[in-house]
Amino acid sequence: MKIINLLKNEKLSLSFEVFPPKSESGFESVKSATEEIAKLRPSFMSVTYGAGGGTSKYTLDIAKNIKELYGVPTLAHLTCVSSTRETVRRKIEEIKKAGLDNVMALRGDIPPHLETEDRSKWDYKYAIDLIRELKEADENFCIGCACYPEIHPESVNQKEDIKRLCEKVQAGCDFITTQMFFDNNLLYNFLYKIREAGITVPVIPGIMPITNANQVERALKLSGSFMPQRFKSLVDKFGSDSAAMKQAGIAYATDQIIDLYANNITNVHVYSMNKPDVAQKIQSNLSDILGK
Ligand code: FAD
């Protein structure tokens, strides 16, 4: 099932994200977390891909299981930076063979040891190179790409970042998922600007439930997201009590989703990070709204 066809709903719909294990030994626990999340019947599930090859090995195995064992539409992530054309083409063939229709086309973060390398020799420099490769391999792929309501950290300014996003859409991207954000107004401003720039494809906001204080620093470092005072106060108050922090973080994410839906956004992606209990709690908080 193509994700683009799942985004026409009028009622709120949630999708969840999982990440693959780093090694074989972690496979069963990720598989079982995935199964628990799949039982919630999300609109789709996405499986991340390690840019430096770290966790990329198991992305397809997990994605295939979601589709075949649990019947949930699946989005397999794929990154291209620091990969050779041969590796990427092989991965695309594997995705096709696995019968997966949906690919999240990403550049990936530049691994620190490659930051000073001469990039002119790389087979892939940006996500757009991968989008073109996917389109060439199979016109029918439903392709997603990433966007950054608070600007990608390497961009000189938002205008330039949105221009690059327009190019990804023109190259064949069917829908866009956002980086996490903790202030919905940043998303609304961003949506206004990209619609003005002529981007009409669906945009799925990505919401990260922060469930422990240690996660805060890591999430902010990864995303560069702005932390509103309301969220800071919550971490200050509950950060040292793990159960309370989890409850408060889930409530904050739930509140963000309710506000998005109140503003007519009907598809929200939850960075559920292999935590079925978090996905389940968010879903049950929204049960009447979701009709589940
Ligand atoms: P691009 O779209 O290539 O953009 C990267 C930067 O280059 C931006 O600053 C952009 O403005 C600029 N740019 C783009 N095109 C050009 C051009 N032609 N000329 C000059 N500048 C240009 N990482 C993983 O490793 N695995 C994952 O599974 C993963 N999933 C993600 C899912 C989502 C929804 C998001 C938001 C991010 C995800 N990431 C993942 C992180 C992502 O790989 C990094 O944020 C990465 O730094 C940028 O990837 P991109 O696809 O947005 O890159």
Side-chain angles (χ1 to χ4, degrees):
M1 171 71 86
K2 286 190 182 183
I3 283 167
I4 187 69
N5 295 328
L6 298 168
L7 304 176
K8 294 169 183 156
N9 45 305
E10 283 177 12
K11 280 196 81 168
L12 178 65
S13 199
L14 301 181
S15 51
F16 293 122
E17 184 155 299
V18 292
F19 59 87
K22 283 197 170 70
S23 62
E24 181 80 47
S25 63
F27 192 84
E28 281 309 312
S29 85
V30 173
K31 191 174 166 220
S32 111
T34 303
E35 182 173 355
E36 291 306 306
I37 295 176
K39 280 184 192 158
L40 300 171
R41 309 308 301 166
S43 60
F44 68 87
M45 286 171 72
S46 68
V47 189
T48 64
Y49 188 91
T55 60
S56 57
K57 203 167 152 214
Y58 301 100
T59 298
L60 269 187
D61 294 337
I62 298 285
K64 252 170 76 174
N65 278 349
I66 295 171
K67 186 179 180 230
E68 287 168 10
L69 302 182
Y70 320 126
V72 173
T74 314
L75 172 62
H77 290 207
L78 183 62
T79 65
C80 58
V81 78
S82 76
S83 288
T84 62
R85 200 165 291 280
E86 194 194 341
T87 308
V88 167
R89 284 188 175 161
R90 198 177 57 242
K91 282 283 165 198
I92 295 174
E93 275 315 303
E94 285 171 16
I95 291 172
K96 275 171 75 176
K97 233 168 100 192
L100 296 165
D101 305 319
N102 308 293
V103 185
M104 186 72 175
L106 299 143
R107 186 196 70 177
D109 284 325
I110 316 265
H113 69 281
L114 295 180
E115 261 168 14
T116 51
E117 257 207 5
D118 173 9
R119 298 184 191 185
S120 65
K121 295 192 185 108
W122 292 2
D123 285 346
Y124 302 92
K125 293 185 194 65
Y126 300 106
I128 192 169
D129 304 328
L130 178 58
I131 294 168
R132 290 187 178 126
E133 187 85 55
L134 283 160
K135 275 278 150 200
E136 214 177 289
D138 190 342
E139 273 269 308
N140 288 318
F141 271 134
C142 174
I143 302 174
C145 73
C147 73
Y148 304 84
E150 296 173 67
I151 311 177
H152 185 268
E154 290 164 38
S155 277
V156 281
N157 57 45
Q158 194 171 45
K159 203 170 164 199
E160 174 72 13
D161 209 26
I162 291 176
K163 182 176 158 227
R164 299 305 180 185
L165 185 61
C166 285
E167 288 169 2
K168 290 199 280 190
V169 174
Q170 279 156 12
C173 198
D174 298 288
F175 67 95
I176 309 171
T177 307
T178 78
Q179 179 61 286
M180 68 182 86
F181 55 88
F182 300 98
D183 178 349
N184 286 5
N185 286 326
L186 292 166
L187 177 87
Y188 302 138
N189 283 332
F190 175 72
L191 286 179
Y192 175 76
K193 287 179 185 164
I194 66 168
R195 297 303 183 212
E196 253 209 330
I199 294 176
T200 56
V201 297
V203 177
I204 311 176
I207 295 295
M208 166 79 94
I210 298 287
T211 53
N212 68 70
N214 301 336
Q215 209 188 337
V216 177
E217 204 180 320
R218 218 177 77 82
L220 297 188
K221 200 171 152 212
L222 267 175
S223 65
S225 304
F226 163 72
M227 198 198 260
Q229 188 53 48
R230 199 164 82 82
F231 191 77
K232 274 189 202 155
S233 308
L234 183 151
V235 178
D236 283 348
K237 179 82 181 166
F238 303 114
S240 55
D241 177 338
S242 58
M245 183 62 224
K246 189 168 177 178
Q247 192 169 46
I250 289 172
Y252 191 93
T254 305
D255 200 36
Q256 275 192 284
I257 298 171
I258 292 172
D259 180 69
L260 291 169
Y261 186 44
N263 283 282
N264 294 327
I265 290 171
T266 55
N267 293 285
V268 178
H269 189 61
V270 180
Y271 293 113
S272 45
M273 312 300 286
N274 300 1
K275 291 180 189 150
D277 56 330
V278 173
Q280 193 276 332
K281 193 79 185 104
I282 287 185
Q283 188 151 301
S284 70
N285 283 349
L286 296 164
S287 57
D288 286 337
I289 296 172
L290 289 161
K292 282 193 179 183

